[in-house]
Amino acid sequence: MFYLVSYDIPETRRRTKLAKILEDFGDRVQYSVFECILDEKLLGKMIKRIQEIIIAEDDSIRIYSICAGCEKRIEVMGKGKVSKIENIYVI
């Protein structure tokens, strides 16, 4: 499943920690926006790690699930591209 994760965290140290967590799960497409292609298990792991560092009263993290039909209709204007699953072959 394709997920869009955005965040607004006022404290620099927590914001940096969150960005590093999200880099483990997806691609940064804007300063505080990541595209992630995850199964349910990875989504759960990502959410658990996020919950360990955020302060709910101060921070805002949004995780949007994008269905396959909607994913095909994503339009990028300017530089950048939509994250895709890369085919990897090990020989």
Side-chain angles (χ1 to χ4, degrees):
M1 182 69 125
F2 188 92
Y3 295 93
L4 187 70
V5 182
S6 66
Y7 60 88
D8 184 11
I9 298 180
E11 202 267 312
T12 302
R13 192 173 199 188
R14 258 189 344 274
R15 188 172 53 244
T16 301
K17 281 184 181 182
L18 179 64
K20 288 182 181 193
I21 288 170
L22 293 175
E23 286 172 351
D24 289 342
F25 294 94
D27 298 319
R28 178 176 273 187
V29 295
Q30 291 185 358
Y31 184 73
S32 60
V33 179
F34 282 76
E35 292 176 346
C36 305
I37 300 170
L38 309 169
D39 59 20
E40 249 183 76
K41 186 176 178 181
L42 283 175
L43 176 64
K45 285 182 180 183
M46 182 182 76
I47 289 171
K48 184 176 184 226
R49 288 181 61 191
I50 290 170
Q51 290 172 330
E52 290 172 354
I53 66 156
I54 68 164
I55 297 174
E57 297 80 24
D58 296 338
D59 303 334
S60 174
I61 293 85
R62 295 175 181 251
I63 302 171
Y64 299 94
S65 60
I66 310 282
C67 71
C70 295
E71 181 184 347
K72 292 176 185 172
R73 295 182 4 200
I74 295 172
E75 185 173 331
V76 177
M77 292 182 244
K79 64 181 182 176
K81 60 182 181 174
V82 177
S83 298
K84 297 285 183 200
I85 293 178
E86 301 288 332
N87 290 330
I88 298 173
Y89 299 96
V90 178
I91 300 176

